[in-house]
């Protein structure tokens, strides 16, 4: 078996397990071609056993390739791909990233970060402040246009390819959701950070792209607020998820990333 997998790797093919191979195959077979995006080609999928035989994009992660000199070009390609995804990928049939879903994600933070990680008691937490903050975030999400949303669009899920990049991985959690969410995932990355001035420049450039594509009628200050608050929802969720992974699932490798997420 190991020899067989090594041979497939040499051919640019990888075997992966997936909870729903049929949905992955349908996504890459139909929606990728419609949008001109680079996601791994699926050669075979077995929904009964949960196996997928797919194209291998190699090992050149955005996370490893990004630096001061490469960031503009790599992020530019990633943001161009986002515009195509939002404009050309149909979100029909995808789960809705609605208020109920976003609230469930937000509620991970008090349970796993405040109480489990920081050791606060329920009486120590100003729940009215938490609720008011959650309401502001949810309101900003609700007013945004709804598009095909990757939901985990960041440097560990993007690959540097020789052409037509980036290669986009881990798309099985896609939903129909708010316009600025994927951009916040990309530019407020949980694993690396950039100066605010540079991020603001990239946000302004993406706003112009989205306007040109007919996807955003909001002005730049409004879009910047959408970006900031979509990022806040994501990072509150991530504080909870990283702690849940550590304490419930015995996967502590994410804890060193908490300070950056908390700083956001």
């Amino acid at each position: 078996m190991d020899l067989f997998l090594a041979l497939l790797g040499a051919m640019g093919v990888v075997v992966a397990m997936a909870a729903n191979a049929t949905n992955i195959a349908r996504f890459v077979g139909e929606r990728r071609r419609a949008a001109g995006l680079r996601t791994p080609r699926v050669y075979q999928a077995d929904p009964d056993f949960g196996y997928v035989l797919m194209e291998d994009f190699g090992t050149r992660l955005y996370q490893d390739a990004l630096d001061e000199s490469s960031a503009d070009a790599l992020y530019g390609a990633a943001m161009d791909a986002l515009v195509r995804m939002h404009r050309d990928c149909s979100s029909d049939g995808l789960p809705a990233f609605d208020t109920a879903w976003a609230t469930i994600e937000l509620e991970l933070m008090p349970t796993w970060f405040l109480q489990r990680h920081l050791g606060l008691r329920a009486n120590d937490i100003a729940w009215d402040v938490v609720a008011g903050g959650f309401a502001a975030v949810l309101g900003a999400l609700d007013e945004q246009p709804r598009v095909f949303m990757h939901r985990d669009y960041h440097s560990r899920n993007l690959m540097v390819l020789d052409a037509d990049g980036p290669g986009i991985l881990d798309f099985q959690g896609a939903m129909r959701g708010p316009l600025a969410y994927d951009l916040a995932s990309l530019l407020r990355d949980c694993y690396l950070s950039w100066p605010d001035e540079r991020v603001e420049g990239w946000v302004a450039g993406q706003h112009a792209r989205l306007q040109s594509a007919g996807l955003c009628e909001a002005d730049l200050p409004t879009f910047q607020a959408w970006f900031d608050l979509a990022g806040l929802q994501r990072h509150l969720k991530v504080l909870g998820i990283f702690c849940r992974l550590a304490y419930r699932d015995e996967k502590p490798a994410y804890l060193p990333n908490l300070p950056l997420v908390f700083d956001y």
Side-chain angles (χ1 to χ4, degrees):
M1 183 65 173
D2 290 343
L3 180 60
F4 173 67
L5 293 176
L7 178 60
L8 288 177
M11 297 168 59
V13 177
V14 64
V15 178
M17 290 191 66
N20 195 330
T22 303
N23 283 344
I24 292 177
R26 181 163 58 248
F27 171 87
V28 297
E30 299 173 6
R31 302 183 184 187
R32 179 188 61 81
R33 284 192 291 270
L37 300 172
R38 287 297 306 276
T39 55
R41 296 178 184 274
V42 172
Y43 301 112
Q44 293 289 334
D46 189 325
D48 294 327
F49 287 94
Y51 280 98
V52 178
L53 189 69
M54 67 173 67
E55 183 180 6
D56 187 353
F57 278 168
T59 60
R60 298 172 64 197
L61 286 174
Y62 257 54
Q63 182 183 29
D64 301 325
L66 283 163
D67 58 30
E68 290 291 334
S69 62
S70 66
D72 286 332
L74 290 176
Y75 278 135
M79 289 187 286
D80 285 341
L82 266 186
V83 172
R84 295 198 301 274
M85 184 186 302
H86 296 331
R87 182 189 62 202
D88 300 331
C89 265
S90 169
S91 62
D92 294 345
L94 293 180
F97 190 91
D98 54 15
T99 296
W101 183 277
T103 301
I104 290 170
E105 291 190 339
L106 286 170
E107 289 174 346
L108 295 170
M109 187 276 290
T111 300
W112 290 99
F113 179 68
L114 295 183
Q115 294 179 272
R116 181 63 179 85
H117 183 67
L118 297 183
L120 298 178
R121 299 169 300 175
N123 291 339
D124 297 327
I125 299 171
W127 292 105
D128 57 334
V129 176
V130 173
F134 284 5
V137 170
L138 294 169
L141 295 178
D142 187 56
E143 69 183 29
Q144 297 184 38
R146 259 36 194 179
V147 293
F148 184 105
M149 187 177 81
H150 179 283
R151 202 159 68 95
D152 220 11
Y153 197 79
H154 58 72
S155 63
R156 292 187 178 181
N157 285 333
L158 297 174
M159 307 293 295
V160 180
L161 304 179
D162 292 334
D164 302 324
I168 303 172
L169 308 178
D170 201 19
F171 45 76
Q172 65 271 14
M175 302 182 78
R176 177 176 173 81
L179 178 65
Y181 186 97
D182 283 334
L183 185 65
S185 300
L186 179 69
L187 300 181
R188 296 294 190 191
D189 196 311
C190 296
Y191 308 108
L192 53 87
S193 64
W194 301 94
D196 287 342
E197 296 79 9
R198 198 162 189 184
V199 172
E200 289 168 3
W202 288 326
V203 170
Q206 185 69 348
H207 174 255
R209 290 182 182 88
L210 292 169
Q211 285 201 320
S212 296
L215 292 170
C216 181
E217 297 181 357
D219 60 18
L220 179 57
T222 299
F223 184 74
Q224 179 72 54
W226 289 351
F227 169 85
D228 289 334
L229 288 166
L232 181 55
Q233 191 278 341
R234 176 173 174 82
H235 293 120
L236 289 170
K237 172 197 74 172
V238 168
L239 287 176
I241 284 180
F242 281 2
C243 292
R244 187 176 70 179
L245 285 167
Y247 299 117
R248 188 194 71 180
D249 302 336
E250 299 182 349
K251 297 179 179 179
Y254 294 94
L255 290 182
N257 302 113
L258 284 179
L260 175 57
V261 178
F262 186 74
D263 186 57
Y264 285 147

